[in-house]
């Protein structure tokens, strides 16, 4: 007999590949069709939970304060969509706005439901569940690529273009996230040799794809974090969260140094394309970031509550960059930074709320990492998101890093007193 928890967990696993397929359909069949496909398994989890509540005849509130912080930020995302409709965004309209708002609301709440159903299960491992879901996503991408499909948003000659992602750079981030988690699982060769060999093979395949995607920003952060976790230097480091907040200005200030490092024979052989202009401007991103800085200093329209989803178009922030890049319109450009996108679209209010969410997630998973619990692998992935959201769009809106981030926040969203199942350490022993 299939238990409720197993059914919900299976739907959660399916959510990751389904989100990837939805990303593909978004560009092939239409924005709304893609969004609906992205959230189908998440919606199924919530519907199942709703029917279950009707049969049980009552709801026991279990959510923590973290849940409400997360929902407060998500609410600013929902409001930004409504603002976009009011400002006549060329991307968001009255027809697709409800679907987009649901996409923001559903993944986090469905992930919390997963925690509720597994709260009494001994040995429930959210980290392994997330990893399996992401591996399923990568599996269908490799099959799709082998079948001749390519990414409809980005496709470059000579670089692997996984089809079921929001652009090839999303694939680099997912691969980096997975490989950082795998560092914790590739162990115990004598006791579990087949698992060791299998996961090592997955790691090497992922690494080869990362190299082919050739996202320099992703690779730099992935390489640095790999060194810190392999050497266990991360255990002694303090102030990682504070440093991450200055990722963008630090990179812009040390652009020439970064170019000199990437020009070294080792990195040049791995990355292949090391142009001084591309590296020092981060493939043109600094033009966008400089215009954002001018807006923050001289203009500041919508600074407090934002300018709505795709708000850069409403205030014509990227018109200069569009002309520079030969784009006919600026509405199809974004800030190439989740941090800046949130500031422009959801204002300082949305940004501060996400800072709080990130801080709570960071402190929680760092504690799990230092105690070497089964959730420790998620700390490596969380730290990656902590840095990459500053310099890429991956953690914003419809991009896959957004639901992934809030799936990671779900274990914090249930009050500890309701979690009665026994927990395991990373080595498989029961925690006391």
């Amino acid at each position: 007999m299939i238990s409720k928890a197993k059914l919900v967990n299976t739907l959660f696993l399916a959510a990751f590949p389904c989100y990837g397929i939805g990303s593909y359909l978004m560009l092939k069949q239409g924005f709304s069709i893609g969004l609906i496909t992205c959230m189908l398994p998440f919606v199924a989890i919530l519907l199942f939970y709703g029917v279950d509540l009707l049969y049980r005849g009552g709801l026991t509130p279990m959510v923590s304060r973290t849940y409400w912080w997360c929902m407060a930020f998500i609410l600013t995302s929902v409001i930004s969509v409504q603002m976009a409709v009011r400002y006549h965004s060329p991307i968001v309209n009255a027809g697709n706005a409800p679907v987009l708002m649901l996409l923001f609301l559903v993944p986090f709440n469905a992930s919390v439901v997963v925690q509720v159903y597994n709260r009494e299960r001994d040995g429930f491992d959210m980290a392994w569940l997330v990893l399996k879901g992401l591996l399923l996503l990568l599996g269908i991408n490799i099959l799709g690529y082998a079948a001749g499909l390519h990414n409809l948003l980005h496709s470059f000659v000579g670089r692997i273009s996984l089809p079921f992602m929001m652009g090839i750079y999303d694939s680099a981030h997912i691969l980096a996230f997975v490989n950082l988690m795998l560092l914790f699982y590739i162990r115990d060769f004598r006791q579990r040799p087949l698992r060791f060999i299998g996961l090592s093979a997955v790691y090497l395949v992922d690494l080869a794809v990362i190299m082919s995607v050739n996202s320099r920003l992703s690779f730099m952060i992935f390489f640095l974090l790999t060194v810190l976790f392999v050497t266990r230097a991360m255990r002694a480091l303090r102030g990682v969260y504070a440093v991450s907040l200055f990722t963008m200005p630090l990179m812009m200030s040390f652009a020439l140094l970064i170019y000199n490092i990437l020009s070294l024979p080792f990195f040049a052989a791995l990355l292949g394309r090391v142009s001084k202009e591309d590296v020092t401007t981060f493939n043109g991103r600094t033009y966008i970031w400089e215009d954002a800085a001018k807006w923050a200093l001289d203009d500041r329209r919508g600074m407090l509550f934002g300018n709505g989803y795709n708000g850069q178009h409403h205030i014509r922030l990227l018109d200069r960059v569009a002309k520079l890049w030969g784009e006919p319109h600026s509405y199809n450009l974004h800030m190439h930074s989740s941090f800046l996108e949130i500031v422009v679209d959801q204002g300082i209010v949305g940004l501060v709320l996400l800072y709080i969410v990130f801080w709570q997630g960071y402190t929680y998973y760092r504690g799990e990492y230092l105690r070497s619990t089964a959730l420790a692998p998620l700390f490596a992935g969380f730290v990656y998101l902590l840095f990459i959201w500053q310099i890429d769009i991956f953690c914003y809106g419809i991009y896959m890093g957004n639901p992934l981030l809030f799936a990671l926040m779900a274990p914090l969203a249930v009050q500890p007193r309701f979690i009665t199942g026994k927990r395991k350490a990373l080595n498989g022993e029961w925690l006391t």
Side-chain angles (χ1 to χ4, degrees):
M1 181 177 178
I2 299 177
S3 68
K4 295 176 183 178
K6 288 182 179 178
L7 176 60
V8 167
N9 292 351
T10 301
L11 289 171
F12 183 77
L13 286 175
F16 292 96
C18 201
Y19 205 98
I21 294 170
S23 301
Y24 183 82
L25 294 178
M26 205 178 298
L27 296 166
K28 189 173 181 65
Q29 300 292 336
F31 191 56
S32 294
I33 292 174
L35 293 177
I36 292 170
T37 306
C38 284
M39 62 179 166
L40 279 177
F42 292 122
V43 171
I45 290 172
L46 292 177
L47 288 176
F48 176 79
Y49 182 59
V51 172
D52 192 25
L53 285 179
L54 290 176
Y55 275 100
R56 284 189 288 174
L59 171 66
T60 302
M62 300 181 188
V63 295
S64 66
R65 186 177 299 175
T66 298
Y67 173 85
W68 296 112
W69 282 118
C70 291
M71 284 301 295
F73 171 77
I74 292 171
L75 181 61
T76 67
S77 301
V78 170
I79 293 172
S80 76
V81 175
Q82 296 172 331
M83 292 173 66
V85 175
R86 188 176 55 152
Y87 293 148
H88 304 290
S89 166
I91 293 177
V92 182
N93 54 55
N96 60 33
V99 184
L100 183 56
M101 289 188 286
L102 275 177
L103 184 72
F104 293 150
L105 290 163
V106 165
F108 172 60
N109 285 283
S111 301
V112 173
V113 169
V114 172
Q115 304 302 311
V116 170
Y117 276 110
N118 288 279
R119 64 191 176 84
E120 297 177 347
R121 294 183 67 201
D122 291 340
F124 170 64
D125 189 346
M126 183 63 173
W128 185 242
L129 190 66
V130 169
L131 181 60
K132 287 191 293 184
L134 293 176
L135 289 175
L136 285 174
L137 169 65
L138 295 176
I140 67 161
N141 269 282
I142 291 173
L143 290 174
Y145 182 74
L149 299 177
H150 63 86
N151 196 284
L152 299 179
L153 187 61
H154 295 132
S155 185
F156 302 102
V157 176
R159 296 161 68 182
I160 286 182
S161 173
L162 298 181
F164 305 121
M165 297 280 189
M166 280 296 295
I168 68 169
Y169 298 119
D170 263 30
S171 63
H173 299 317
I174 292 293
L175 288 160
F177 188 100
V178 166
N179 270 15
L180 286 168
M181 288 189 68
L182 285 175
L183 293 175
F184 291 78
Y185 292 108
I186 301 175
R187 53 192 297 165
D188 301 328
F189 174 73
R190 291 184 178 180
Q191 296 180 3
R192 308 179 75 174
L194 292 180
R195 172 174 158 140
F196 182 94
I197 293 171
L199 293 180
S200 297
V202 171
Y203 183 93
L204 292 174
V205 170
D206 286 359
L207 191 61
V209 178
I210 290 174
M211 294 295 98
S212 180
V213 171
N214 206 239
S215 171
R216 289 165 300 196
L217 291 178
S218 172
F219 180 79
M220 283 191 300
I221 294 175
F222 165 71
F223 180 81
L224 176 61
L225 293 182
T226 296
V227 172
L228 292 176
F229 279 105
V230 168
T231 61
R232 298 197 171 191
M234 186 61 78
R235 286 183 169 271
L237 286 181
R238 296 290 186 272
V240 173
Y241 178 83
V243 171
S244 74
L245 301 182
F246 299 96
T247 304
M248 183 185 294
L250 284 171
M251 289 183 66
M252 292 178 71
S253 299
F254 293 99
L256 189 57
L257 175 61
I258 291 171
Y259 167 72
N260 289 329
I261 293 173
L262 294 181
S263 299
L264 294 173
F266 173 74
F267 291 106
L270 288 176
L271 298 175
R273 53 189 188 103
V274 187
S275 160
K276 185 175 183 179
E277 172 69 15
D278 279 353
V279 173
T280 55
T281 66
F282 302 105
N283 204 27
R285 285 173 171 84
T286 56
Y287 303 133
I288 293 174
W289 300 343
E290 287 167 359
D291 281 1
K294 291 177 184 177
W295 164 75
L297 292 172
D298 303 329
D299 189 335
R300 294 188 292 278
R301 277 177 292 170
M303 177 69 79
L304 186 58
F305 297 108
N307 296 284
Y309 190 84
N310 197 227
Q312 56 82 14
H313 174 71
H314 173 62
I315 59 176
R316 297 298 191 272
L317 180 58
L318 300 183
D319 282 2
R320 181 187 72 90
V321 177
K323 291 179 181 178
L324 184 66
W325 291 354
E327 294 284 345
H329 307 286
S330 64
Y331 68 80
N332 57 351
L333 299 179
H334 55 71
M335 304 302 296
H336 281 279
S337 162
S338 303
F339 159 72
L340 288 180
E341 198 77 44
I342 289 165
V343 174
V344 174
D345 296 359
Q346 296 161 236
I348 296 297
V349 172
L351 180 66
V352 170
L353 288 171
L354 192 56
Y355 276 157
I356 294 171
V357 169
F358 263 118
W359 170 248
Q360 293 188 340
Y362 172 77
T363 54
Y364 175 81
Y365 282 112
R366 185 172 185 273
E368 300 297 308
Y369 169 66
L370 294 176
R371 292 192 296 273
S372 295
T373 73
L375 288 176
L378 288 178
F379 180 61
F382 197 92
V383 173
Y384 180 83
L385 296 182
L386 197 61
F387 282 93
I388 208 66
W389 85 289
Q390 293 276 325
I391 53 176
D392 200 77
I393 196 69
F394 180 61
C395 294
Y396 175 78
I398 62 176
Y399 294 84
M400 200 168 292
N402 188 35
L404 178 58
L405 168 63
F406 284 98
L408 300 191
M409 294 303 298
L412 293 72
V414 177
Q415 294 182 42
R417 64 190 178 93
F418 290 105
I419 302 173
T420 57
K422 294 180 181 178
R423 300 179 59 200
K424 284 189 173 183
L426 188 59
N427 61 8
E429 296 178 357
W430 293 106
L431 294 172
T432 55

